Amino acid sequence: MAVSKEITRLEKSSVRLSLTVPKEDVQSQYQDLLREYTQKVQMPGFRKGKVPLEVLERKFGKELQGEALGKIIENAIGDVFDDENMPKDEKPLPYSRPELEGEPELNFGQDLSFSIVYDVLPNISVGQWKGLEAEVPDAAVGDEDIGRELEELRERNAFVLDRDDGADATSGDVATVTYCEIGENGEELPGSERKDFVFTLGSGQNAYMFDDDIAGMKKGETIEFTKTYSPDDAATTFAGLTKKLRVTLTELKEKKLPDLDDDLAQDIDEKYQTLDDLKNSIRERLENNLKRRIREMSINALLEKIMENTPVTLPESMVRVELDGRMRNLARQFGVDREKLMQMLQLSGGGLDDIEGKWRPTAEKALHSRLIVETLLEEQHIICEDEELDREIEAIAAEEGESFDEIERRFQENNSIEYLQDGVRERKFFDVLLAENTIKKGEKTNYLDVMGNNG
């Protein structure tokens, strides 16, 4: 089909694709549709496949023309999008559905012209990305970091014993509770109940931060109380709100921590003979974590500078997909579906618009950065060599204790080999980025501050 096209650039990385189908092709496709129907339509007075075209048109003309119009438009769009020579920045994004403008009409005496609008990959002209200077914190692993890790190991290897029925809940106890929000009349608010929730009292690892409120409770006891959260409290999603809660303590246990000695080290892993062996292993792991985090912060700092001199207009469909992905991840973290998550957000005094409004700047920043990296990967012709892919698979195999063939087969079956290749390409580019720019050490800080800063 000889379709002519014209592209018009619109705002927010959208385009209008105007197509014209010659009247000869319009007539030909309409006739093809008629012949197709004559082979299968049944009408009184005619044998199947023997209905004259003029009778068919007289009976179903309007419907046939409507179907023909849809098929002609669909075929024309398909021919244009399937053209391998069509520039990448003119093709629609996978998640951008082309929308038909207006209501095209079928007129056999003239060419068929129509337009569709859709989002495309933004055009990016990357600004200066070499010769930049960025600053990252100056941090090192200290004895206090080793000590904290050891205490966590003691916690994980602790003995948990039931407390007496009459014992008061105190900080450090392992509490099992059932809780819910209640209304002014004491009725349970739908969707707010959580049964058999287990946490360590005093850890603050519960959504409503009610550690202090239930301290002193006894097993089997139920209490109701009202909590008002400070507007400045960043540790809870209920900042600035007041909640009335009902909590029942169903179980109460206490922890007995093991001594910090060679026996503990051997219990954790037989490869450790002494406590010093365990400490050295912890230090090596933390130093590797810190090295990776400093590298990540260095890359992010440089990308921030590149973003400053590389403006981009993001299509709304691209931002929408990013926000939807974050919403799915949040639902997965809570172990609920999207509908249940929406109920939870409403109970917390917010909603979809509120949370997406907070997420949007971060989402747009992530997309901006990603587009810059993808553009530079192409411009610098960075590829993943076969031997580099093999080394990547070997590293994964060693980490997961499987063979090279098992890992390779798994990625091939999941069609994820390209994912591995992209990871290698990106890492190679980041090596170049760091080599072409200067990273200075900033203020001295500690390990936790650096690892907790996701920049």
Side-chain angles (χ1 to χ4, degrees):
M1 183 163 44
V3 180
S4 60
K5 67 167 188 166
E6 179 183 352
I7 287 281
T8 304
R9 299 285 172 178
L10 306 176
E11 295 180 343
K12 294 188 175 181
S13 296
S14 292
V15 300
R16 175 183 294 110
L17 174 62
S18 300
L19 300 178
T20 299
V21 182
K23 59 185 179 183
E24 295 80 12
D25 284 332
V26 171
Q27 183 66 41
S28 174
Q29 291 192 60
Y30 178 66
Q31 292 300 321
D32 288 344
L33 180 66
L34 285 180
R35 282 190 289 271
E36 179 184 336
Y37 267 92
T38 59
Q39 298 301 314
K40 59 184 180 182
V41 72
Q42 287 183 304
M43 291 181 64
F46 299 97
R47 287 182 296 160
K48 184 177 180 181
K50 298 298 182 180
V51 180
L53 293 182
E54 60 272 15
V55 174
L56 193 64
E57 283 191 284
R58 191 164 56 246
K59 179 73 173 175
F60 302 108
K62 186 176 181 180
E63 292 83 356
L64 287 170
Q65 289 187 25
E67 183 175 343
L69 178 62
K71 285 194 172 184
I72 294 168
I73 290 175
E74 182 181 345
N75 291 337
I77 294 172
D79 285 352
V80 171
F81 287 163
D82 290 342
D83 183 359
E84 294 181 355
N85 295 319
M86 187 178 190
K88 187 167 64 173
D89 64 352
E90 292 183 2
K91 291 191 174 185
L93 294 171
Y95 34 78
S96 174
R97 183 177 180 178
E99 295 184 4
L100 186 66
E101 283 193 324
E103 297 181 3
E105 294 184 1
L106 196 64
N107 187 329
F108 296 119
Q110 61 186 35
D111 298 340
L112 171 65
S113 296
F114 63 92
S115 298
I116 56 174
V117 174
Y118 53 86
D119 290 340
V120 296
L121 194 67
N123 280 320
I124 295 183
S125 178
V126 180
Q128 180 185 0
W129 68 276
K130 296 182 180 181
L132 302 172
E133 185 175 283
E135 186 177 281
V136 295
D138 181 12
V141 175
D143 291 340
E144 67 278 7
D145 301 311
I146 309 299
R148 184 178 56 256
E149 292 288 317
L150 289 170
E151 286 305 308
E152 290 181 6
L153 287 172
R154 291 182 71 203
E155 286 281 343
R156 290 203 293 269
N157 287 272
F159 299 99
V160 182
L161 307 172
D162 288 323
R163 295 201 65 192
D164 296 335
D165 288 345
D168 294 336
T170 60
S171 181
D173 287 345
V174 178
T176 302
V177 298
T178 293
Y179 64 83
C180 66
E181 288 187 34
I182 55 177
E184 292 301 321
N185 298 323
E187 74 281 7
E188 177 185 321
L189 298 184
S192 67
E193 185 183 37
R194 181 76 182 269
K195 290 184 177 180
D196 299 327
F197 176 73
V198 182
F199 74 108
T200 299
L201 198 61
S203 66
Q205 294 176 348
N206 59 86
Y208 292 92
M209 308 292 288
F210 49 49
D211 302 57
D212 293 340
D213 302 277
I214 70 172
M217 287 181 68
K218 293 179 174 56
K219 181 179 176 181
E221 186 178 354
T222 298
I223 63 170
E224 295 181 0
F225 55 93
T226 300
K227 279 187 73 72
T228 298
Y229 300 88
S230 167
D232 302 323
D233 190 353
T236 176
T237 57
F238 306 119
L241 302 177
T242 296
K243 298 289 182 181
K244 192 172 183 180
L245 303 166
R246 179 186 296 133
V247 181
T248 299
L249 180 63
T250 57
E251 288 188 41
L252 190 64
K253 300 177 184 291
E254 62 179 335
K255 293 180 181 178
K256 295 292 185 182
L257 300 181
D259 292 332
L260 196 58
D261 55 19
D262 293 347
D263 289 337
L264 173 62
Q266 293 166 14
D267 287 341
I268 290 171
D269 195 308
E270 61 184 12
K271 68 181 179 181
Y272 304 127
Q273 295 298 312
T274 67
L275 182 60
D276 284 340
D277 291 340
L278 175 58
K279 288 181 178 179
N280 291 335
S281 177
I282 292 173
R283 181 177 295 277
E284 181 180 1
R285 173 170 56 82
L286 296 187
E287 287 177 345
N288 286 334
N289 290 344
L290 184 60
K291 183 178 179 180
R292 284 192 294 268
R293 180 60 184 141
I294 291 295
R295 173 185 167 90
E296 177 186 328
M297 294 176 75
S298 301
I299 292 167
N300 288 342
L302 291 170
L303 288 174
E304 289 267 7
K305 291 186 174 294
I306 300 171
M307 281 190 279
E308 291 174 4
N309 54 53
T310 305
V312 63
T313 301
L314 298 170
E316 183 59 27
S317 60
M318 182 178 282
V319 179
R320 181 77 264 150
V321 167
E322 182 75 12
L323 290 173
D324 287 346
R326 291 171 183 241
M327 186 62 67
R328 286 194 300 272
N329 287 338
L330 183 61
R332 196 157 41 241
Q333 289 172 18
F334 279 99
V336 298
D337 58 23
R338 186 184 178 90
E339 182 178 347
K340 180 68 174 178
L341 179 62
M342 292 299 100
Q343 292 178 0
M344 294 169 63
L345 291 174
Q346 290 169 357
L347 287 171
S348 67
L352 183 61
D353 290 343
D354 294 326
I355 194 165
E356 287 190 348
K358 294 176 182 177
W359 285 353
R360 181 171 282 268
T362 305
E364 291 179 346
K365 179 180 175 182
L367 289 170
H368 190 173
S369 174
R370 192 183 310 158
L371 287 168
I372 288 173
V373 171
E374 290 175 355
T375 301
L376 288 172
L377 282 170
E378 293 295 326
E379 290 180 357
Q380 299 302 307
H381 307 293
I382 295 177
I383 62 173
C384 173
E385 304 286 356
D386 289 344
E387 58 269 23
E388 292 173 323
L389 178 60
D390 287 347
R391 285 197 295 270
E392 187 76 1
I393 295 175
E394 287 170 357
I396 296 173
E399 183 177 340
E400 299 188 7
E402 298 184 47
S403 70
F404 178 96
D405 291 342
E406 288 172 329
I407 298 297
E408 184 179 41
R409 183 167 56 253
R410 184 202 308 168
F411 278 94
Q412 287 175 341
E413 290 173 351
N414 294 332
N415 296 317
S416 300
I417 290 293
E418 188 175 346
Y419 169 81
L420 289 180
Q421 293 170 326
D422 288 343
V424 172
R425 292 175 65 229
E426 189 173 275
R427 190 163 59 246
K428 289 172 68 175
F429 167 69
F430 288 150
D431 288 341
V432 173
L433 182 66
L434 292 171
E436 293 287 352
N437 296 285
T438 302
I439 302 297
K440 294 175 58 178
K441 288 185 177 181
E443 294 184 2
K444 282 190 173 294
T445 185
N446 58 53
Y447 174 88
L448 271 187
D449 283 345
V450 171
M451 297 305 296
N453 177 10
N454 293 317

